[in-house]
């Protein structure tokens, strides 16, 4: 039996008053010193009056929380036909907070309290109606502070009861919705930038996407020793009351329903507009206005898209997504992200933008397939290969630098290598063993299994299946989604580890004699080793972020003059 989580420090109820606005009308705290001021604005964001129920994830002074919003009809004077309220919980600080573990129980609690009010003919709960909330809080109240370190994804997915609500399991849906542009988010997360998602109610999908996106780099950022020792932060829902802190903090992802943030580009580095009418959400980068005006906005929004150097990584991710998509029901069956996916991908292949996107991927693959010369190495990427990994010489695959001086990834460092420590679950071990050669998630030694490790789907009439068969199909689908998520996380982590390892080789050690200690010059050939494009300004900016966050106090200067670029093109070192 699954143990009930005990990590709550507060439970509270917020509602909208026609004359007083948003306010907290009931709360119960583990410590009376806990400050809940302004939390009512996060749990009652603008626009939620248009829907009946929603789930909102938020943070308060670094503590994560979740609430259930509900809209109930009423004829009470001044309420405009509806009562708006949210019942939420606040979690204690920990290395890996998991507010989603309380979502299902919190929904049941809201239903119970509302039923009691209806039976008693009350519009607002009294002290007796709050008794279920008191019992809920007493059962889940924090007993001791969790100071344990994160021990891998198998620990995160070890509780079967969480598999229907764990945000990381929606990573495949995030990648399908955003396409190759999802790697723009990946770069901003790895570089500890500020990301804001603009959406309209319901907001649960946007909150879930925040957590799923942040986990793309969680494993690497949890183990790094650079300045970005702490993982990327998820702020959840933010409102106008949070504007002052957004501009002063770095390394976060949040979502909002307030359109005024579209006019405040200085508060974030990347804006994702989920309300855009196209097949993909719109991406905007915040750029400073040069020269800065004496008054008015100091930043402007500029449309941004994925970089060509992202194509190789995207092909690996897309291969995993296609394997899962071909063997199970589509993402449209998902309760949270299904409607969003259907509205965006229903006619994607016939849309002009999607055709343009595919052409960009093909052109980028062609360009990357031609390869950049790297000295006199004979293992350059000459042949064009859009979907597979580049073959490499086994005689040099186990070392960092070959005899010609060209950098080669070690096994486990890149998307064509094996993981240094494969993440496993009981379901994976039960099915078969996974082989990660050439970056592909294939199964060896299994019988009747597909390429992602799940049993092959048997054809048959759905009308002849019993309840047990339907449960088995549901378990199979969840098991396949878990394996797909693990494969995606492993691929992203391998790419992250590769780039950070190569970057570390460029940074001089503290004891080394250099003409300018604490500074390093990087040339186009160094960008090639990082699998970045020397001609790309976005790649150069991304490299600056990596140095800033993972190389301590080292200052970087990227030489991209015409002589350096010509030398990289001709293979001079």
């Amino acid at each position: 039996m699954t143990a009930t989580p005990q990590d709550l420090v507060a439970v509270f109820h917020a509602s909208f008053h026609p004359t007083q606005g948003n306010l907290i009308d009931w709360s119960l705290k583990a410590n009376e010193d806990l400050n809940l001021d302004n939390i009512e604005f996060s749990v009652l964001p603008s626009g939620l009056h248009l829907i009946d129920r929603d789930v909102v994830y938020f943070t308060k002074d670094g503590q994560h929380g979740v609430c259930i919003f509900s809209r109930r009809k009423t004829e009470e004077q001044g309420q405009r036909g509806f009562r708006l309220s949210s019942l939420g919980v606040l979690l204690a600080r920990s290395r890996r907070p998991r507010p989603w573990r309380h979502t299902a129980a919190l929904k049941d609690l809201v239903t119970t309290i509302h039923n009691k009010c209806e039976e008693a003919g009350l519009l607002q709960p009294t002290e007796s109606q709050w008794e279920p909330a008191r019992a809920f809080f007493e059962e889940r109240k924090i007993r001791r502070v969790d100071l344990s370190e994160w021990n891998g994804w198998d620990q995160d997915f070890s509780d079967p009861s969480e598999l229907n609500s764990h945000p990381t399991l929606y990573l495949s849906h995030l990648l399908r919705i955003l396409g190759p542009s999802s790697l723009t988010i990946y770069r901003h997360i790895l570089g500890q930038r500020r990301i804001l998602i603009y959406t309209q109610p319901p907001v649960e999908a946007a909150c879930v996407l925040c957590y799923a996106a942040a986990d793309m780099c969680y494993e690497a950022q949890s183990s790094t020793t650079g300045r970005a020792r702490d993982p990327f932060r998820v702020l959840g829902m933010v409102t106008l009351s949070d504007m002052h802190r957004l501009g002063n903090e770095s390394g976060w992802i949040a979502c909002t329903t307030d359109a005024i943030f579209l006019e405040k580009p200085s508060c974030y580095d990347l804006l994702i507009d989920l309300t855009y009418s196209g097949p993909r959400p719109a991406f905007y980068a915040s750029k400073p206005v040069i020269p800065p005006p004496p008054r008015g906005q100091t930043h402007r929004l500029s449309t941004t898209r994925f970089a060509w150097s992202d194509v190789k990584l995207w092909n690996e991710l897309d291969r995993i997504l296609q394997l899962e998509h071909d063997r199970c029901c589509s993402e449209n069956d998902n309760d949270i992200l299904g409607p969003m996916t259907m509205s965006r991908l229903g006619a994607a292949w016939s849309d002009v933008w999607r055709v343009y996107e595919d052409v960009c991927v093909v052109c980028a693959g062609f360009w990357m397939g031609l390869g950049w010369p790297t000295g006199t190495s004979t293992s350059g990427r000459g042949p064009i290969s859009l979907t597979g990994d580049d073959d490499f010489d086994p005689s040099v695959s186990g070392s960092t630098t070959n005899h010609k001086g060209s950098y080669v990834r070690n096994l486990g460092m890149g998307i064509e290598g094996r993981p240094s420590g494969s993440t496993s679950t009981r379901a994976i071990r039960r099915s078969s063993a996974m082989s990660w050669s050439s970056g592909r998630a294939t199964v060896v030694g299994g019988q009747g299994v597909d390429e992602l490790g799940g049993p092959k789907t048997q054809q048959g009439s759905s009308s002849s299946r019993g309840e047990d068969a339907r449960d088995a199909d549901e378990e199979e689908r969840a098991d396949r989604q878990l394996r797909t998520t693990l494969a995606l996380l492993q691929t992203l982590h391998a790419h992250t580890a590769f780039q950070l390892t190569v970057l570390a080789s460029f940074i001089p050690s503290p004891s080394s004699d250099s003409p300018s200690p604490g500074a390093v010059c990087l040339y186009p050939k160094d960008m090639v080793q990082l699998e970045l494009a020397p001609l790309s300004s976005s790649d150069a900016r991304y490299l600056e972020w990596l140095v800033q966050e993972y190389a301590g106090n080292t200052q970087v200067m990227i030489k991209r003059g015409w002589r350096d670029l010509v030398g990289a093109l001709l293979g001079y070192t």
Side-chain angles (χ1 to χ4, degrees):
M1 183 177 179
T2 304
T4 301
Q6 296 179 332
D7 55 359
L8 298 186
V9 296
V11 58
F12 60 91
H13 184 266
S15 61
F16 174 77
H17 193 274
T19 60
Q20 302 179 33
N22 297 349
L23 53 86
I24 299 177
D25 47 33
W26 180 85
S27 65
L28 195 60
K29 298 182 286 188
N31 187 349
E32 291 302 322
D33 295 333
L34 184 64
N35 184 10
L36 297 180
D37 293 346
N38 296 326
I39 202 173
E40 63 271 20
F41 299 106
S42 298
V43 300
L44 291 171
S46 60
L48 254 63
H49 63 280
L50 301 174
I51 58 177
D52 292 331
R53 177 166 286 200
D54 201 359
V55 179
V56 182
Y57 292 88
F58 61 93
T59 55
K60 166 65 176 174
D61 297 332
Q63 296 176 251
H64 290 242
V66 60
C67 72
I68 307 300
F69 167 83
S70 58
R71 183 185 70 168
R72 293 181 296 158
K73 290 185 178 181
T74 181
E75 298 179 357
E76 185 180 359
Q77 181 108 13
Q79 291 289 346
R80 301 179 182 177
F82 296 98
R83 290 188 66 91
L84 310 178
S85 62
S86 289
L87 182 65
V89 295
L90 192 64
L91 279 65
R93 288 184 175 86
S94 65
R95 180 72 175 178
R96 176 72 170 172
R98 300 177 178 87
W100 53 85
R101 297 192 295 177
H102 303 278
T103 302
L106 201 57
K107 289 180 180 179
D108 295 337
L109 178 61
V110 170
T111 302
T112 300
I113 293 176
H114 287 175
N115 291 340
K116 285 182 174 292
C117 291
E118 292 178 0
E119 293 173 1
L122 300 174
L123 297 175
Q124 186 74 6
T126 62
E127 287 299 318
S128 60
Q129 273 76 44
W130 288 122
E131 193 58 37
R134 291 191 183 91
F136 175 87
F137 181 66
E138 188 62 31
E139 181 185 17
R140 296 168 180 260
K141 185 171 62 175
I142 185 172
R143 299 295 190 269
R144 62 184 179 85
V145 180
D146 183 14
L147 299 177
S148 60
E149 294 291 332
W150 185 72
N151 294 320
W153 294 115
D154 50 349
Q155 179 195 41
D156 249 35
F157 301 135
S158 60
D159 189 351
S161 64
E162 295 184 28
L163 297 184
N164 290 329
S165 59
H166 201 300
T168 311
L169 293 177
Y170 295 97
L171 179 59
S172 60
H173 307 293
L174 167 69
L175 298 177
R176 288 195 182 96
I177 292 172
L178 301 181
S181 295
S182 58
L183 296 182
T184 302
I185 301 181
Y186 163 79
R187 288 188 171 202
H188 280 73
I189 292 176
L190 189 58
Q192 291 284 336
R193 301 295 101 180
R194 303 168 299 171
I195 305 174
L196 183 65
I197 299 176
Y198 175 66
T199 185
Q200 292 293 331
V203 302
E204 182 181 10
C207 293
V208 167
L209 291 182
C210 287
Y211 279 98
D215 283 344
M216 288 195 291
C217 302
Y218 186 85
E219 184 174 356
Q221 291 178 334
S222 298
S223 58
T224 183
T225 58
R227 197 174 88 176
R229 288 184 296 272
D230 295 326
F232 198 73
R233 290 178 300 156
V234 178
L235 301 184
M237 177 59 57
V238 294
T239 60
L240 297 180
S241 61
D242 301 300
M243 186 174 294
H244 66 282
R245 66 166 175 151
L246 297 183
N248 299 327
E249 300 179 1
S250 61
W252 54 260
I253 183 171
C255 56
T256 186
T257 58
D258 292 311
I260 194 173
F261 278 102
L262 301 178
E263 303 174 3
K264 303 292 183 180
S266 61
C267 294
Y268 45 83
D269 299 308
L270 179 67
L271 175 69
I272 305 170
D273 187 1
L274 296 183
T275 65
Y276 182 68
S277 59
R280 303 285 195 198
F283 283 67
Y284 302 96
S286 176
K287 297 182 179 180
V289 177
I290 300 176
R295 62 175 63 183
Q297 293 292 339
T298 60
H299 291 69
R300 61 180 177 85
L301 292 179
S302 176
T303 303
T304 184
R305 297 182 179 90
F306 63 94
W308 281 20
S309 56
D310 289 331
V311 170
K312 185 176 182 181
L313 176 58
W314 172 250
N315 283 334
E316 289 298 316
L317 298 175
D318 187 55
R319 174 168 32 187
I320 297 173
L321 294 175
Q322 291 299 327
L323 288 174
E324 188 241 0
H325 186 270
D326 293 342
R327 290 164 175 79
C328 70
C329 53
S330 70
E331 66 276 4
N332 299 337
D333 294 333
N334 184 268
D335 294 334
I336 298 176
L337 303 183
M340 179 188 297
T341 308
M342 290 185 66
S343 64
R344 294 199 176 278
L345 299 183
W349 288 106
S350 60
D351 190 270
V352 176
W353 162 248
R354 184 58 184 266
V355 174
Y356 167 77
E357 184 179 84
D358 293 335
V359 170
C360 287
V361 171
V362 172
C363 292
F366 178 82
W367 180 256
M368 297 300 291
L370 293 178
W372 293 86
T374 54
T376 57
S377 173
T378 59
S379 58
R381 289 173 292 181
I384 300 173
S385 178
L386 296 181
T387 59
D389 292 317
D390 298 333
D391 295 329
F392 56 93
D393 188 356
S395 63
V396 299
S397 62
S399 60
T400 302
T401 308
N402 63 12
H403 64 282
K404 298 288 187 178
S406 300
Y407 188 89
V408 180
R409 298 188 188 188
N410 292 326
L411 291 178
M413 289 175 52
I415 51 180
E416 66 270 271
R418 298 185 184 90
S420 56
S422 60
T423 304
S424 60
T425 63
R426 290 189 297 270
I428 295 178
R429 290 194 296 268
R430 184 171 61 250
S431 298
S432 61
M434 298 185 69
S435 171
W436 288 84
S437 60
S438 300
R440 299 175 183 266
T442 55
V443 175
V444 294
Q447 182 177 3
V449 294
D450 62 25
E451 291 187 64
L452 279 175
K456 290 183 178 179
T457 305
Q458 300 295 330
Q459 301 295 330
S461 174
S462 58
S463 59
S464 63
R465 296 179 178 177
E467 184 176 350
D468 293 340
R470 287 193 296 270
D471 292 341
D473 290 343
E474 181 65 23
E475 182 179 355
E476 176 188 336
R477 186 192 66 82
D479 199 49
R480 187 184 295 109
Q481 184 178 8
L482 174 60
R483 270 189 290 273
T484 300
T485 302
L486 292 173
L488 294 171
L489 290 171
Q490 175 61 39
T491 302
L492 289 166
H493 176 64
H495 183 75
T496 303
F498 158 72
Q499 288 195 329
L500 295 183
T501 302
V502 176
L503 178 64
S505 66
F506 298 150
I507 306 303
S509 61
S511 59
S512 64
D513 296 330
S514 60
S516 179
V520 60
C521 292
L522 298 181
Y523 297 90
K525 62 183 181 65
D526 300 323
M527 297 184 65
V528 171
Q529 292 189 30
L530 284 162
E531 296 189 351
L532 301 177
L535 298 177
S536 172
S537 60
S538 62
D539 284 2
R541 184 169 59 252
Y542 169 62
L543 181 55
E544 291 176 355
W545 295 346
L546 294 185
V547 174
Q548 179 182 358
E549 295 297 333
Y550 301 98
N553 296 323
T554 303
Q555 300 295 324
V556 62
M557 292 180 293
I558 300 178
K559 299 290 187 178
R560 298 176 64 241
W562 67 270
R563 292 187 178 181
D564 303 311
L565 296 175
V566 171
L569 287 170
L570 299 179
Y572 296 118
T573 56

